[in-house]
Amino acid sequence: MAENFKGDVVLKAFIKREGKALLMCNAVDLKWQPPGGRMHVGETPLDGVCREVREELSVEIRPTSIISLDSFVGDDGAGHF
């Protein structure tokens, strides 16, 4: 499965409804975060975030835009995009 990943390009969906935002609790580190995951080779960012939400929540979404593109260094010293 690792051959599907496009480096470490992380996708997150900021889902808002009726003034509330959807967050998920990560079972490993118990941190709350928006649903998402890593982009696959051949995907657009919008296609990838739709796939991740479908995989994690069994919900179909229709993103309206890309809010932000960023890069950062994680706690482990690895770069993320």
Side-chain angles (χ1 to χ4, degrees):
M1 184 72 133
E3 67 274 3
N4 290 332
F5 294 125
K6 187 173 189 172
D8 198 8
V9 179
V10 177
L11 306 166
K12 295 290 183 179
F14 291 89
I15 300 171
K16 183 176 74 170
R17 183 174 176 180
E18 297 176 5
K20 297 178 182 178
L22 176 67
L23 297 176
M24 297 176 59
C25 185
N26 183 316
V28 176
D29 61 11
L30 302 178
K31 291 183 180 179
W32 289 91
Q33 58 189 341
R38 297 192 314 181
M39 194 161 86
H40 287 187
V41 173
E43 281 184 324
T44 67
L46 292 178
D47 288 342
V49 78
C50 289
R51 176 188 49 76
E52 286 292 343
V53 169
R54 185 171 51 254
E55 287 176 1
E56 294 181 5
L57 303 173
S58 299
V59 173
E60 294 293 331
I61 62 169
R62 290 185 302 259
T64 56
S65 64
I66 294 175
I67 296 173
S68 176
L69 301 172
D70 201 1
S71 62
F72 64 95
V73 176
D75 294 340
D76 60 358
H80 303 273
F81 303 96

